[in-house]
Amino acid sequence: MSATGIAPNNIERLVAIMARLRDPERGCEWDTVQTFATIAPYTIEEAYEVADAIERADMADLKDELGDLLLQVVFHARMAEEAGDFALADVVTAICDKMERRHPHIFGDAVQGGHHLWEQIKAAERGAKGADSALDGVAIGLPALVRAEKLQKRAARTGFDWPDPSDARAKIDEELVEVEAATNDADRAEEIGDLLFAVVNWARKLDIDPEAALRAANAKFERRFRAMEAADARFAERSLDEQEALWRLVKTMMRPCAG
């Protein structure tokens, strides 16, 4: 048993399972035909399921979901190993090296650390890779809402940022006018995108995580909608006015009581 509480043979067992699943002759017919591109959506999905378990404070589910996410890492590493690019051991070595390199105040001689030092080191690493923009390294594959916030944060480090939340709020009004002025679907889609980007920017200026806020809004809508369905078995047959009245009733019933 290692210092982390993980028996090395457990990781070896998982690696062996994946190798067997990918075996061209004896493996699983689904696993053997997968590629990085086809597996990537599952990797993203598993990461969100981890976040969902955390949000629900379900530790049993979190354990399972972390296992599913770990499997994704092993899956990608196995495909890379088959291609002769790298193996799981190389992935582990790379992240160990990175964590030590980015925490010189813990593992090295630096006197001070913190997030500022972390960002300085990351910027230096990007520069060493030939990055020439503050926006380099923001993954294209991120969910759009998350990527918008990250792009804005990177731009803000160069000074390109509204000085006050009220400026970001005013931009939302400006974008709303442009949405309403659009005369075709393509222009409306572009302006709606600008509006969403502006809303993310305002949330960032208010120190609100827009992704977390939207997840919470989704969950609240789902709770209220399910409550309406449970309250009226013929909900789908009701008129919009009747449904709206039930929505208001459910909102009142589900509103937290003042303590």
Side-chain angles (χ1 to χ4, degrees):
M1 188 73 68
S2 71
T4 62
I6 301 175
N9 62 327
N10 284 344
I11 294 296
E12 293 170 2
R13 179 186 175 194
L14 182 56
V15 171
I17 288 172
M18 181 51 63
R20 176 64 184 274
L21 290 172
R22 289 279 299 175
D23 187 287
E25 297 180 0
R26 301 184 301 156
C28 169
E29 59 183 24
W30 185 87
D31 291 275
T32 55
V33 298
Q34 299 309 308
T35 65
F36 294 113
T38 62
I39 289 297
Y42 296 101
T43 308
I44 295 170
E45 181 181 341
E46 296 299 349
Y48 274 101
E49 290 183 0
V50 167
D52 177 64
I54 293 171
E55 184 74 20
R56 292 182 284 104
D58 188 333
M59 291 299 102
D61 200 19
L62 178 58
K63 178 189 69 176
D64 289 342
E65 297 302 344
L66 286 171
D68 291 342
L69 186 57
L70 176 59
L71 178 64
Q72 294 296 307
V73 175
V74 173
F75 206 140
H76 284 286
R78 177 61 194 179
M79 290 186 291
E81 184 175 5
E82 292 168 358
D85 295 322
F86 58 82
L88 182 63
D90 301 307
V91 174
V92 175
T93 297
I95 189 59
C96 288
D97 290 345
K98 180 187 294 184
M99 295 305 291
E100 291 177 347
R101 185 171 65 250
R102 291 185 178 177
H103 293 85
H105 58 300
I106 304 296
F107 303 104
D109 300 326
V111 177
Q112 294 181 330
H115 187 69
H116 181 66
L117 178 59
W118 171 277
E119 291 298 340
Q120 284 183 329
I121 295 171
K122 285 180 64 177
E125 290 173 354
R126 289 193 297 270
K129 291 180 179 179
D132 55 8
S133 170
L135 304 182
D136 285 342
V138 180
I140 294 176
L142 287 170
L145 201 64
V146 175
R147 190 164 193 265
E149 184 186 23
K150 286 186 176 293
L151 288 171
Q152 292 168 7
K153 285 182 176 179
R154 288 287 188 87
R157 292 176 197 163
T158 70
F160 188 72
D161 195 17
W162 295 114
D164 188 85
S166 62
D167 299 313
R169 173 63 182 85
K171 186 65 176 177
I172 293 175
D173 290 333
E174 178 184 325
E175 297 298 347
L176 277 169
V177 171
E178 293 183 4
V179 170
E180 293 170 346
T183 58
N184 57 65
D185 290 344
D187 287 347
R188 273 188 288 273
E190 180 179 350
E191 297 302 341
I192 286 288
D194 291 344
L195 174 61
L196 291 171
F197 194 84
V199 171
V200 170
N201 204 24
W202 189 35
R204 182 180 62 83
K205 297 299 291 184
L206 295 175
D207 292 326
I208 293 171
D209 180 344
E211 179 70 19
L214 185 56
R215 281 203 307 268
N218 289 340
K220 180 169 64 176
F221 175 82
E222 184 174 6
R223 287 194 304 272
R224 290 176 177 175
F225 191 88
R226 289 179 182 275
M228 289 193 300
E229 292 177 315
D232 187 348
R234 299 178 62 188
F235 171 75
E237 301 171 17
R238 305 302 182 190
S239 69
L240 180 58
D241 287 342
E242 291 172 323
Q243 290 178 337
E244 179 63 25
L246 185 55
W247 174 265
R248 290 194 296 269
L249 176 61
V250 165
K251 280 183 64 176
T252 300
M253 294 174 60
M254 298 183 72
R255 184 175 294 126
C257 296

